[in-house]
Amino acid sequence: MSTVEATAGSQRGEFSDWVRERISHAVSELTAATALVVLFIALSFASPYFLTADNLFNIGAQTAVIAIIATAQTMVIITKGIDLSVGSVAALAGVLGAMVVRDLGFSLWAATVVAIGVGALAGLLNGLLVTVARIPPFIATLGTMSVGRGLVFIFSGAVGVYGLPRSFQLLGNGEILGIPFAVVITVLVAVGVAFLLSQTRFGQYTYAMGSNLEAARRSGIGVRRHLTGVYVLAGVLVGLGGMIAASRVNSGQPNYGISLELDVIAAAVIGGASLFGGQGRIVGTIIGAFLIALVRNGAVLLDISIHYQQVIVGLIIWAAVYFDQYRRRRLEARG
């Protein structure tokens, strides 16, 4: 076989892989979107309160927090990692943001910078534990989850932070032309991160590390620096999500975010992110976040216990991961 023929065959193979990957993403996102539409219609008939303006506004605000933090989780999952600390870090960011407003007189925007800074520091810690200490992401972020939750209780004295001004509610309950401000922020975050992952070298390196870390290192990618950067950016988004969550209830709650990691992992995996790394898109994650938010909202409207809600989310994670494995096996077989 000539060199030209070999090159042409290689290019056809790469194109075929690209097509299969695109089809795989489309199938995942279409499946999630279909489930979202079916659930929306079902809840419309199941509860007379579902389609009220107040409830739809609440769904938008609730989805915003899950979507922003799930976007952070998606970036980490693409690198073949996992972040179990998102709930604790979001709570810590929200509580400290509320405290600097109440005790130091900070404005909402200054407090938001503080919350984002808390998230960034937590992300930096996670990144260094994974890249420098070489602790597996699961264990590294599990430790950060415990440390973060402990610090929340230490700083707050295990009680909520109340006595905040009405202006503190802007992020979580404010509106722009009738659209929840939190939803506007979510759209900006989603578009920005989607562009970052699909159109920049940062995104190319992120997918490359998730697909084959050793190959990425040999190709000249600064794996340690770049992977730490992914965790820092994820932490920034978690801190922002924690501040929006605190703003929604006009208080800093030390118990916030317990089991939040399950919701955001479910949202990412439902949307097509693979726990095996190298796959995931923000569009799918947003669809998954809406689906999880609808499950939570519908369960409240139908008076379903929080314990059963956890069972439902667990079943969704099982189903999503099984579908991901099935999809990968099919693609490998066709390849």
Side-chain angles (χ1 to χ4, degrees):
M1 180 183 295
S2 68
T3 303
V4 173
E5 291 174 335
T7 301
S10 176
Q11 290 176 344
R12 283 195 298 269
E14 291 176 358
F15 178 74
S16 190
D17 290 341
W18 179 82
V19 171
R20 282 196 295 269
E21 183 179 345
R22 291 291 178 176
I23 293 175
S24 175
H25 285 310
V27 169
S28 296
E29 291 164 6
L30 181 60
T31 301
T34 301
L36 177 64
V37 172
V38 169
L39 181 59
F40 189 93
I41 294 173
L43 289 175
S44 299
F45 286 102
S47 172
Y49 304 106
F50 179 74
L51 291 178
T52 61
D54 287 344
N55 188 61
L56 293 178
F57 185 95
N58 184 53
I59 291 173
Q62 185 177 6
T63 301
V65 176
I66 297 175
I68 290 172
I69 299 179
T71 297
Q73 188 72 258
T74 299
M75 290 191 297
V76 174
I77 289 176
I78 289 173
T79 67
K80 207 173 183 177
I82 197 78
D83 189 350
L84 300 179
S85 68
V86 293
S88 296
V89 173
L92 180 62
V95 165
L96 291 181
M99 289 181 70
V100 297
V101 170
R102 185 192 65 181
D103 300 336
L104 301 179
F106 278 33
S107 69
L108 171 64
W109 307 114
T112 302
V113 172
V114 170
I116 289 174
V118 170
L121 287 175
L124 177 61
L125 174 62
N126 283 333
L128 293 176
L129 288 172
V130 172
T131 61
V132 178
R134 298 193 176 183
I135 299 175
F138 183 92
I139 302 300
T141 59
L142 182 65
T144 305
M145 177 178 72
S146 181
V147 171
R149 187 63 63 181
L151 289 176
V152 172
F153 289 125
I154 290 171
F155 288 135
S156 67
V159 296
V161 180
Y162 299 102
L164 299 168
R166 184 179 295 273
S167 60
F168 187 78
Q169 300 182 54
L170 176 61
L171 280 179
N173 297 316
E175 298 180 20
I176 298 178
L177 300 176
I179 302 174
F181 192 53
V183 172
V184 175
I185 295 174
T186 302
V187 171
L188 294 176
V189 167
V191 171
V193 175
F195 177 83
L196 193 65
L197 290 176
S198 63
Q199 303 296 326
T200 69
R201 187 172 296 178
F202 178 92
Q204 294 173 359
Y205 288 176
T206 301
Y207 283 106
M209 290 189 304
S211 297
N212 191 321
L213 184 62
E214 187 58 33
R217 182 180 288 110
R218 290 178 179 176
S219 68
I221 296 175
V223 169
R224 180 179 296 182
R225 181 181 68 255
H226 185 81
L227 190 55
T228 300
V230 170
Y231 278 96
V232 170
L233 180 55
V236 166
L237 296 182
V238 171
L240 175 60
M243 192 63 183
I244 293 174
S247 176
R248 282 189 64 206
V249 295
N250 203 34
S251 64
Q253 294 297 327
N255 287 318
Y256 174 74
I258 295 176
S259 297
L260 178 62
E261 60 277 356
L262 296 180
D263 286 2
V264 297
I265 291 172
V269 175
I270 287 170
S274 174
L275 293 176
F276 298 97
Q279 291 186 8
R281 295 205 306 177
I282 302 304
V283 171
T285 296
I286 300 301
I287 295 173
F290 266 104
L291 185 60
I292 294 299
L294 280 187
V295 169
R296 293 291 191 184
N297 182 264
V300 171
L301 293 179
L302 299 177
D303 197 26
I304 297 175
S305 165
I306 184 66
H307 307 300
Y308 285 106
Q309 293 180 39
Q310 293 301 102
V311 171
I312 293 171
V313 172
L315 292 174
I316 291 174
I317 292 175
W318 279 349
V321 172
Y322 175 79
F323 178 74
D324 175 48
Q325 291 179 320
Y326 173 77
R327 180 187 60 186
R328 290 175 67 88
R329 287 195 298 266
R330 290 290 299 272
L331 288 173
E332 290 171 0
R334 291 177 180 176

